[in-house]
Amino acid sequence: DSGVTQTPKHLITATGQRVTLRCSPRSGDLSVYWYQQSLDQGLQFLIQYYNGEERAKGNILERFSAQQFPDLHSELNLSSLELGDSALYFCASSAFRGTNEKLFFGSGTQLSVL
Amino acid sequence: GENVEQHPSTLSVQEGDSAVIKCTYSDSASNYFPWYKQELGKGPQLIIDIRSNVGEKKDQRIAVTLNKTAKHFSLHITETQPEDSAVYFCAASRSGGSNYKLTFGKGTLLTVNP
């Protein structure tokens, strides 16, 4: 068990809808990362938050947004969903601010857009 | 941006044999190279990492080697066991500055046959 909790484990929704994925980092970790995993694109970095502030941005679509709350949990919001958004979404946390070292991944949320 | 190529995409070995997975990276400024293991239904788990100031690192049956000049690094697993069967990902990243993106290879499915 990595100590990173993601909910829900599975999510099935329709095109055009909006969903929220939730992540609780390991105790004490201030950095939260979001990744998207698909068969064709592999693991793609979306966004990183550190102690409530956006730290780095990757290949995140404008339809997607995230935030990190004062209790350090994070949410990834996906809106106007398309079929191509179907993927496994991972949250990871680390104790570090400025590097990608020692990331601990959750078990992911499998999103299916029908 | 950084590009990480990983080979082979699948690898099948007999229990007790060694397995080698190779990765190349494009950004000469990358200085952190982790390897992750992903089992079915789980998130990636960090198994070993190496910084660019070190040429080799070993942890029990796992070792990673880095050739900065050639911009490639490899994962070596000796005395493989069935529980080593999983997808392995290499990754590369800079540390410092504003580019914190961890770029992953596409993964290698390792099967260890009893």
Side-chain angles (χ1 to χ4, degrees):
Chain A
D1 182 11
S2 68
V4 178
T5 303
Q6 287 188 250
T7 56
K9 290 191 181 302
H10 304 277
L11 201 48
I12 301 174
T13 188
T15 55
Q17 295 298 303
R18 173 189 169 95
V19 297
T20 297
L21 282 53
R22 184 188 168 102
C23 169
S24 294
R26 289 190 322 152
S27 177
D29 283 357
L30 299 178
S31 274
V32 169
Y33 303 76
W34 286 98
Y35 282 83
Q36 179 192 60
Q37 186 176 40
S38 61
L39 283 174
D40 55 341
Q41 295 295 318
L43 269 164
Q44 295 284 319
F45 168 66
L46 296 178
I47 197 164
Q48 179 203 356
Y49 279 82
Y50 178 82
N51 202 21
E53 294 193 0
E54 183 183 303
R55 179 66 181 160
K57 219 167 187 175
N59 305 322
I60 188 165
L61 300 173
E62 285 191 10
R63 300 183 287 108
F64 296 1
S65 65
Q67 53 184 325
Q68 185 179 26
F69 296 86
D71 67 353
L72 300 177
H73 91 270
S74 179
E75 294 181 355
L76 179 67
N77 300 296
L78 314 176
S79 62
S80 304
L81 285 168
E82 302 175 0
L83 296 177
D85 297 327
S86 296
L88 195 50
Y89 290 84
F90 286 108
C91 167
S93 75
S94 81
F96 300 96
R97 172 176 182 264
T99 74
N100 291 284
E101 297 186 25
K102 315 296 185 191
L103 265 59
F104 290 84
F105 282 80
S107 295
T109 294
Q110 179 68 60
L111 174 66
S112 298
V113 182
L114 306 178
Chain B
E2 175 67 278
N3 183 48
V4 177
E5 299 283 341
Q6 183 172 348
H7 298 280
S9 56
T10 61
L11 180 59
S12 181
V13 300
Q14 289 299 121
E15 183 177 358
D17 288 349
S18 295
V20 180
I21 303 170
K22 299 181 179 182
C23 290
T24 60
Y25 61 98
S26 60
D27 186 354
S28 56
S30 287
N31 55 9
Y32 176 65
F33 307 93
W35 285 87
Y36 285 83
K37 174 184 180 182
Q38 186 175 18
E39 297 175 333
L40 195 61
K42 296 184 179 180
Q45 176 191 6
L46 178 67
I47 55 172
I48 195 167
D49 56 5
I50 192 169
R51 290 183 161 279
S52 59
N53 59 348
V54 175
E56 183 173 358
K57 186 176 179 180
K58 194 172 182 179
D59 182 5
Q60 299 182 342
R61 296 185 296 108
I62 293 173
V64 57
T65 59
L66 171 65
N67 183 327
K68 282 194 301 181
T69 304
K71 290 190 284 188
H72 67 71
F73 56 113
S74 301
L75 178 72
H76 305 253
I77 306 174
T78 58
E79 300 172 18
T80 54
Q81 301 167 3
E83 51 265 38
D84 294 330
S85 297
V87 178
Y88 290 81
F89 293 94
C90 63
S93 172
R94 296 184 187 189
S95 59
S98 59
N99 184 353
Y100 301 108
K101 180 179 174 181
L102 189 60
T103 302
F104 284 86
K106 289 291 178 69
T108 295
L109 174 61
L110 174 63
T111 303
V112 180
N113 301 300

